[in-house]
């Protein structure tokens, strides 16, 4: 993941403008993809040896340009270009969500392989493109054996050197990461939209080629706001609805 270069001190070019320019170039080049989470202001200030006020001014410029957006208590993200709702709920995996709503299900493994991270995934996980990464694909079915979702997960092999497929199927991915790999998952960035199925998704979900799917995209973070897992989940809305209880503060 590209880092910010040292700032030029002996110039009339303001430090906050230099920071804005570097971040802008990372965004427009695709090095920092949509929904990429920036490091905390204090960390950026330490990295660049400037005050937090200077960093804050640089970020404000990019927020005003629509390139960044801030969510209170969550951090600063590269804007995704569409309206996004902040749902303040406890972070749960899809398996935990189904269990909480008393929906019976079974999970089958489609594939689990070590692959080179594509640029978009690498960006969200703060890895260099091509970094070895686990790609996990599963199908989850209801009590009648009808597919209700396809899950695709990406995890860097440096964070998880060995993937225990049995533990993932038995416990769920979050519990495997926390109980077996010693991680502490603290934050998730979730985006919900709609998409047309690919031929593979049509086959796995047994849906017609033109039927729209609910698409949930998520980046999961550990302590220190370090991204550890990126996932896509596709669901036919005719087969499953997930509800949330949200409170107004």
């Amino acid at each position: 993941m590209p880092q910010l270069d040292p700032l030029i001190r002996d110039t009339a070019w303001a430090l906050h403008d230099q920071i804005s320019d570097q971040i802008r170039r990372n965004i427009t080049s695709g090095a920092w993809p949509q929904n990429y989470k920036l490091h905390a202001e204090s960390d950026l200030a330490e990295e660049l040896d400037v005050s937090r006020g200077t960093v804050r001014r640089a970020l404000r410029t990019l927020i005003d340009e629509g390139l960044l957006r801030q969510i209170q208590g969550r951090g600063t993200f590269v804007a995704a270009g569409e309206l996004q709702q902040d749902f303040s709920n406890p972070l749960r995996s899809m398996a935990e969500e189904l269990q909480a709503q008393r929906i019976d299900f079974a999970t089958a493994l489609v594939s689990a392989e070590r692959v080179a991270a594509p640029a978009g995934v690498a960006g969200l996980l703060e890895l260099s493109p091509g970094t070895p990464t686990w790609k996990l694909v599963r199908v989850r079915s209801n009590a009648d054996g009808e597919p209700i979702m396809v899950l695709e997960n990406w995890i860097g092999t440096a964070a998880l050197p060995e993937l225990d497929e049995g533990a993932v199927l038995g416990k769920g991915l979050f519990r495997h990461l926390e109980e077996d790999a010693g991680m502490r998952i603290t934050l998730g960035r979730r985006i919900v939209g709609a998409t047309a199925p690919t031929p593979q998704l049509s086959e796995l979900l047994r849906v017609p080629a033109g039927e729209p799917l609910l698409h949930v995209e998520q980046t999961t973070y550990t302590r220190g706001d370090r991204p550890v897992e990126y996932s896509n989940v596709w669901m036919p809305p005719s087969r499953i609805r997930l509800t949330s209880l949200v409170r107004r503060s």
Side-chain angles (χ1 to χ4, degrees), residues 18-29:
Q18 292 185 47
I19 298 170
S20 297
D21 184 67
Q22 286 198 53
I23 295 175
R24 187 185 295 108
R25 283 189 280 112
N26 280 345
I27 294 172
T28 56
S29 69

Side-chain angles (χ1 to χ4, degrees), residues 36-38 59 63 68-71 74-78:
Y36 171 76
K37 187 178 189 300
L38 276 67
L59 297 182
I63 291 169
L68 297 177
R69 70 188 300 266
Q70 288 183 326
I71 300 177
R74 301 291 192 272
T76 305
F77 299 84
V78 175

Side-chain angles (χ1 to χ4, degrees), residues 3-91:
Q3 300 299 314
L4 299 180
D5 297 326
L7 302 178
I8 303 172
R9 306 285 172 170
D10 55 345
T11 177
W13 192 10
L15 295 178
H16 66 86
D17 284 335
Q18 292 185 47
I19 298 170
S20 297
D21 184 67
Q22 286 198 53
I23 295 175
R24 187 185 295 108
R25 283 189 280 112
N26 280 345
I27 294 172
T28 56
S29 69
W32 289 6
Q34 293 182 355
N35 304 309
Y36 171 76
K37 187 178 189 300
L38 276 67
H39 292 172
E41 289 181 2
S42 57
D43 293 336
L44 289 172
E46 181 178 355
E47 175 186 343
L48 296 169
D49 191 23
V50 296
S51 69
R52 288 188 64 176
T54 299
V55 170
R56 190 173 299 117
R57 184 171 178 182
L59 297 182
R60 173 50 56 186
T61 296
L62 298 173
I63 291 169
D64 292 342
E65 292 178 9
L67 293 176
L68 297 177
R69 70 188 300 266
Q70 288 183 326
I71 300 177
Q72 187 173 2
R74 301 291 192 272
T76 305
F77 299 84
V78 175
E82 67 269 350
L83 178 64
Q84 298 181 37
Q85 178 71 46
D86 179 22
F87 292 101
S88 299
N89 283 313
L91 175 60

